[in-house]
């Protein structure tokens, strides 16, 4: 018997074509090459799938017909998470950023000097994120080279698409968790060279923790490494008022916090640069992001939890700045992009009330379903520079996908029978969980799922 080389999905297919265009395809036909994991074609308004497949040898494909309460979504893209911090997710939420770092983050991250600790913890966190439908994640690790290699190995084994950063910090850090400048640069080079051959799913990303913990020499050296190896850059920016004030006091020659990174070459050393948070920014800083094509990872749960503020995502979108969503585990306590979507929705609601009640701007619009789906998928792909590879179901892209089944036994969604496809999607977004995800695919490979029988 000829081996099945194609997977064919027939039913409801939902994806973003732009920030303002959410396409809900009923009776859609999507064909995936099993060997490459790439989408061969997407057809719309197919009344009879067998007729549409007449050009194919029936022995080469397996047809999966979806029920009325099942649909495909692109995989979620988490543009900012801290892998080691999952160990204490949900702890210390009463603290603000700088106190929280000292009380929770630095002590826990320092324990990852142990590769056994790294292997145990990273296996759990990557598995959890995959079960929650995060097919792509941009990870901060720790300063420890060997533990960072363990994270890369585990991600490869479990099948997630990922950007992984060895964290850099050579100042204003505790004695038990700090690097010497040259050692940090040497370890980063070694990490990049270890990770690059492990592609194409895993990519090294240069990761200065933030300007507070990085000297000018270190930041300039990291910029040079990113340029030399042509890898992305990620860090934090303008998260908390105390952080901003302290940072600017350390670099008085720069115009503002955003200018510090630009002045040290971090905005121009790579074609793919993105900043987490960006809660408190003036117009000049936003213009600098736009001018340098720098993206933003919006982490609403974290901003609420650490009392940092409420980011006005609409302002960035209207300025033409790329925006995706991040969980920011463990500043954000939930390892689910559904939570990131919901938190972003409520942050948008808070901004609506602020504009209406304080700024006398009643025309402000909250983020709706179309925009939220975009930010969690195609928006994140653009932030990571992966818009030609993932983010929707265009022909030639990788099949990174969520097979949503609202009828699964433990799904928290109750379908009443009157819902249209948009309402089913909204029920999943606002009421669904990992127990609504029958199958999770990365590059065509099933890597997780709550269904008892894999496809």
């Amino acid at each position: 018997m000829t081996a099945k080389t194609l997977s064919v999905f027939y039913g409801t297919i939902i994806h973003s074509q732009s920030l303002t265009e959410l396409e809900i395809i009923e009776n859609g036909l999507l064909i995936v090459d099993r060997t490459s994991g790439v989408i061969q074609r997407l057809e719309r308004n197919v009344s009879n799938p067998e007729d549409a497949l007449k050009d194919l040898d029936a022995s080469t494909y397996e047809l999966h017909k979806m029920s009325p309460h099942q649909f495909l979504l692109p995989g979620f893209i988490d543009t900012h998470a801290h892998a080691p911090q999952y160990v204490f997710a949900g702890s210390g939420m009463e603290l603000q950023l700088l106190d929280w770092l000292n009380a929770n983050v630095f002590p826990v991250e320092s324990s990852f000097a142990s590769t056994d600790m790294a292997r145990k913890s990273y296996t759990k966190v990557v598995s959890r994120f995959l079960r929650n439908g995060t097919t792509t994640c941009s990870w901060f690790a720790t300063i420890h080279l060997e533990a960072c290699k363990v994270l890369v190995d585990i991600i490869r084994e479990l099948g997630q698409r990922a950007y992984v950063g060895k964290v850099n910090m050579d100042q204003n850090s505790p004695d038990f968790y700090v690097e010497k400048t040259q050692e940090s640069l040497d370890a980063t080079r070694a990490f990049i060279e270890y990770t690059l051959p492990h592609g194409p799913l895993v990519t090294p990303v240069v990761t200065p923790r933030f300007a507070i913990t990085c000297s000018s020499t270190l930041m300039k050296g990291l910029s040079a490494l990113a340029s030399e190896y042509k890898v992305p850059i990620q860090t934090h920016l303008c998260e908390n008022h105390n952080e901003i004030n302290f940072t600017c006091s350390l670099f008085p020659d720069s115009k503002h916090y955003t200018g510090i990174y630009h002045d040290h070459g971090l905005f121009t050393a790579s074609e793919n640069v993105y900043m987490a948070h960006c809660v408190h920014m003036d117009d000049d800083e936003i213009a600098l992001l736009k001018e340098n094509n720098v993206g933003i990872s919006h982490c609403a749960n974290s901003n609420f939890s650490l009392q940092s503020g409420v980011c006005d995502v609409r302002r960035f979108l209207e300025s033409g700045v790329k925006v995706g969503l991040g969980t920011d585990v463990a500043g954000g306590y939930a390892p689910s992009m559904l939570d990131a979507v919901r938190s972003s929705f409520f942050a948008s609601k808070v901004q609506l009330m602020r504009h209406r009640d304080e700024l006398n701007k009643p025309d402000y619009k909250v983020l709706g379903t179309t925009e939220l789906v975009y930010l969690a998928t195609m928006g994140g792909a653009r932030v990571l520079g992966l818009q030609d590879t993932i983010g929707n179901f265009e022909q030639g892209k990788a099949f990174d996908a969520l097979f949503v089944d609202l009828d699964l036994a433990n799904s928290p969604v109750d379908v009443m029978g009157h819902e249209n496809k948009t309402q089913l999607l909204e029920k999943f977004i606002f009421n669904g969980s990992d127990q609504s995800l029958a199958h999770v695919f990365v590059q065509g490979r099933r890597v997780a799922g709550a269904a008892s029988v894999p496809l």
Side-chain angles (χ1 to χ4, degrees):
M1 179 181 292
T2 303
K4 306 288 187 181
T5 58
L6 302 173
S7 291
V8 180
F9 298 88
Y10 176 69
T12 301
I13 300 168
I14 303 173
H15 67 165
S16 294
Q17 295 189 312
S18 73
L19 180 64
T20 58
E21 298 173 282
L22 178 66
E23 185 177 24
I24 299 179
I25 306 168
E26 297 190 50
N27 301 319
L29 189 76
L30 190 146
I31 302 176
V32 179
D33 183 288
R34 286 187 171 181
T35 302
S36 66
V38 171
I39 297 168
Q40 284 201 341
R41 73 182 197 236
L42 172 62
E43 296 187 21
R44 296 159 175 83
N45 302 315
V46 175
S47 58
N48 189 317
E50 285 80 5
D51 286 345
L53 297 169
K54 282 183 177 178
D55 60 320
L56 301 176
D57 183 337
S59 66
T60 64
Y61 67 83
E62 185 171 7
L63 177 61
H64 306 286
K65 293 183 179 180
M66 290 179 273
S67 73
H69 302 153
Q70 297 173 334
F71 54 87
L72 288 180
L73 269 181
F76 290 138
I77 300 170
D78 188 340
T79 56
H80 183 66
H82 294 259
Q85 293 179 20
Y86 181 67
V87 170
F88 64 90
S91 301
M93 293 287 93
E94 73 280 3
L95 300 174
Q96 291 193 26
L97 175 64
L98 298 183
D99 291 335
W100 177 79
L101 287 170
N102 286 308
N104 294 285
V105 174
F106 296 151
V108 169
E109 288 193 9
S110 68
S111 69
F112 280 73
S114 163
T115 54
D116 289 340
M117 174 71 172
R119 188 168 293 104
K120 175 183 176 181
S121 302
Y122 288 154
T123 299
K124 288 184 177 180
V125 63
V126 176
S127 298
R128 176 67 64 182
F129 273 59
L130 283 171
R131 288 200 298 275
N132 276 289
T134 300
T135 53
T136 298
C137 189
S138 182
W139 296 106
F140 275 55
T142 66
I143 66 174
H144 311 101
L145 174 59
E146 295 307 316
C148 291
K149 291 178 181 179
V150 169
L151 178 56
V152 169
D153 294 342
I154 288 169
I155 289 169
R156 287 185 64 240
E157 292 166 9
L158 296 178
Q160 189 179 52
R161 190 184 304 276
Y163 283 11
V164 183
K166 178 218 157 305
V167 170
N168 303 98
M169 41 198 292
D170 69 339
Q171 66 175 20
N172 296 313
S173 305
D175 292 341
F176 60 83
Y177 191 52
V178 68
E179 304 170 289
K180 294 181 178 179
T181 305
Q182 192 57 50
E183 290 174 352
S184 181
L185 292 170
D186 291 344
T188 299
R189 180 183 294 277
F191 177 70
I192 292 171
E193 293 182 348
Y194 179 81
T195 306
L196 280 175
H198 288 69
L201 291 183
V202 186
T203 301
V205 50
V206 167
T207 306
R209 177 169 226 113
F210 58 172
I212 288 175
T213 61
C214 295
S215 66
S216 287
T217 302
L218 180 56
M219 284 193 282
K220 289 177 181 177
L222 292 172
S223 296
L225 284 173
S227 178
E228 177 183 351
Y229 288 97
K230 295 179 172 54
V231 296
I233 298 172
Q234 64 176 350
T235 188
H236 300 88
L237 175 62
C238 293
E239 181 177 357
N240 168 284
H241 284 303
N242 291 338
E243 167 221 8
I244 294 168
N245 293 336
F246 185 27
T247 303
C248 291
S249 74
L250 296 172
F251 301 92
D253 293 336
S254 293
K255 184 177 181 181
H256 38 53
Y257 193 167
T258 306
I260 293 168
Y261 291 140
H262 184 262
D263 294 345
H264 287 85
L266 288 165
F267 282 2
T268 54
S270 173
E271 294 182 357
N272 183 20
V273 181
Y274 49 103
M275 305 281 115
H277 303 298
C278 300
V279 179
H280 309 286
M281 303 190 76
D282 62 31
D283 291 342
D284 184 65
E285 290 178 283
I286 294 174
L288 192 58
L289 295 181
K290 171 62 176 173
E291 177 185 340
N292 290 278
N293 198 34
V294 176
I296 293 173
S297 175
H298 173 48
C299 306
N301 182 314
S302 175
N303 298 156
F304 282 127
S305 296
L306 297 181
Q307 308 148 59
S308 298
V310 184
C311 182
D312 186 355
V313 170
R314 178 72 63 196
R315 183 182 177 206
F316 292 116
L317 296 175
E318 290 179 348
S319 299
V321 177
K322 300 179 294 186
V323 182
L325 303 184
T327 59
D328 193 27
V329 165
Y333 53 77
S336 167
M337 281 294 291
L338 285 174
D339 175 86
V341 168
R342 295 162 192 167
S343 298
S344 298
F345 173 72
F346 283 110
S348 179
K349 286 277 192 179
V350 172
Q351 284 292 342
L352 169 68
M353 291 183 282
R354 172 176 172 266
H355 281 75
R356 181 192 65 199
D357 300 338
E358 298 176 22
L359 303 178
N360 195 28
K361 295 181 178 179
D363 294 332
Y364 188 91
K365 297 191 183 314
V366 300
L367 297 173
T369 299
T370 294
E371 293 165 310
L372 291 168
V373 172
Y374 173 87
L375 291 171
T377 56
M378 198 63 209
R382 290 189 64 223
V383 165
L384 299 183
L386 295 173
Q387 65 274 7
D388 295 329
T389 303
I390 56 173
N392 61 17
F393 294 129
E394 291 179 359
Q395 180 178 332
K397 289 191 175 184
F399 186 63
D400 287 15
L402 310 179
F403 189 116
V404 181
D405 186 352
L406 301 182
D407 289 331
L408 281 175
N410 294 318
S411 174
V413 179
D414 288 319
V415 179
M416 311 307 291
H418 66 280
E419 298 91 346
N420 60 33
K421 299 302 183 183
T422 299
Q423 290 169 325
L424 290 175
L425 170 63
E426 290 172 336
K427 280 198 167 186
F428 168 66
I429 288 174
F430 290 104
N431 295 301
S433 73
D434 60 329
Q435 293 302 304
S436 308
L437 298 176
H439 313 286
V440 178
F441 299 94
V442 175
Q443 199 74 35
R445 171 191 170 193
R446 185 183 189 271
V447 293
S452 57
V453 180
L455 287 179

